[in-house]
């Protein structure tokens, strides 16, 4: 079994911490699946996903000079980002970038509206009893 960045390998969970899971890859090598690399969604407790002794497929995402191996489970899937999120991400981008003048005009308009609203709110609070 070759341990190279980008390869997918089978491993066995040997330990679980609050920040990730240690996976034995074979040949005496062990790597860490950080909690952020477990699933596409937020993982509050890694124990909900793994137990010691589980067999998992991991992707090797980095090997540091000191021998530490970074692993990912969410990158083993063919499409790590759901189509729904991809569609939302594409829709949120503007069709063409705004130029500086358009952004400044929008900023000034928003600022003037906020300032006028603030003035209306503070004027009604001034004056003591006569403002009621």
């Amino acid at each position: 079994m070759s341990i190279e960045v980008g390869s997918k390998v089978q491993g066995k969970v040997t330990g679980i911490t609050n920040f990730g899971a240690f996976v034995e890859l074979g040949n005496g090598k062990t790597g860490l699946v950080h909690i952020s690399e477990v699933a596409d969604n937020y993982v509050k407790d890694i124990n909900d996903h793994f137990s010691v002794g589980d067999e998992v497929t991991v992707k090797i995402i980095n090997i540091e000079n000191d021998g530490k191996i970074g692993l990912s489970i969410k990158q083993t899937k063919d499409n790590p980002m759901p189509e729904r999120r991809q569609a939302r991400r594409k829709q949120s981008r503007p069709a063409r970038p705004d130029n500086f003048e358009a952004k400044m005009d929008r900023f000034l308009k928003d600022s003037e509206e906020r300032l006028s609203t603030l003035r209306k709110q503070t004027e009604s609070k001034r004056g003591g009893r006569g403002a009621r």
Side-chain angles (χ1 to χ4, degrees):
M1 173 186 332
S2 78
I3 297 179
E4 299 173 359
V5 174
S7 61
K8 294 179 185 177
V9 295
Q10 284 291 115
K12 184 177 182 180
V13 177
T14 58
I16 297 176
T17 65
N18 58 352
F19 57 85
F22 289 96
V23 177
E24 183 179 346
L25 304 173
N27 301 334
K29 302 279 186 177
T30 301
L32 173 71
V33 178
H34 190 266
I35 194 166
S36 65
E37 291 293 330
V38 171
D40 288 328
N41 51 358
Y42 176 72
V43 177
K44 183 174 183 176
D45 186 9
I46 196 163
N47 292 304
D48 295 339
H49 294 268
F50 302 116
S51 298
V52 173
D54 286 352
E55 293 286 330
V56 293
T57 302
V58 295
K59 181 176 181 179
I60 300 172
I61 54 175
N62 66 358
I63 300 175
E64 295 183 12
N65 293 335
D66 58 357
K68 293 180 181 176
I69 302 171
L71 306 172
S72 174
I73 290 180
K74 71 179 181 180
Q75 292 184 25
T76 60
K77 300 175 182 86
D78 292 332
N79 187 7
M81 185 181 292
E83 291 178 19
R84 184 180 71 226
R85 278 178 53 196
Q86 284 180 345
R88 247 189 291 145
R89 185 174 276 181
K90 287 179 184 176
Q91 289 174 355
S92 65
R93 293 183 183 150
R96 60 177 182 82
D98 288 336
N99 59 10
F100 180 74
E101 289 81 18
K103 288 181 181 180
M104 262 323 255
D105 289 341
R106 234 185 2 255
F107 172 76
L108 290 173
K109 181 180 174 189
D110 290 344
S111 296
E112 289 171 1
E113 288 175 0
R114 289 178 184 172
L115 188 58
S116 67
T117 303
L118 184 62
R119 283 185 183 145
K120 288 177 187 175
Q121 291 174 353
T122 56
E123 285 175 4
S124 64
K125 293 179 182 177
R126 291 184 191 164
R129 294 181 187 197
R132 291 183 186 176

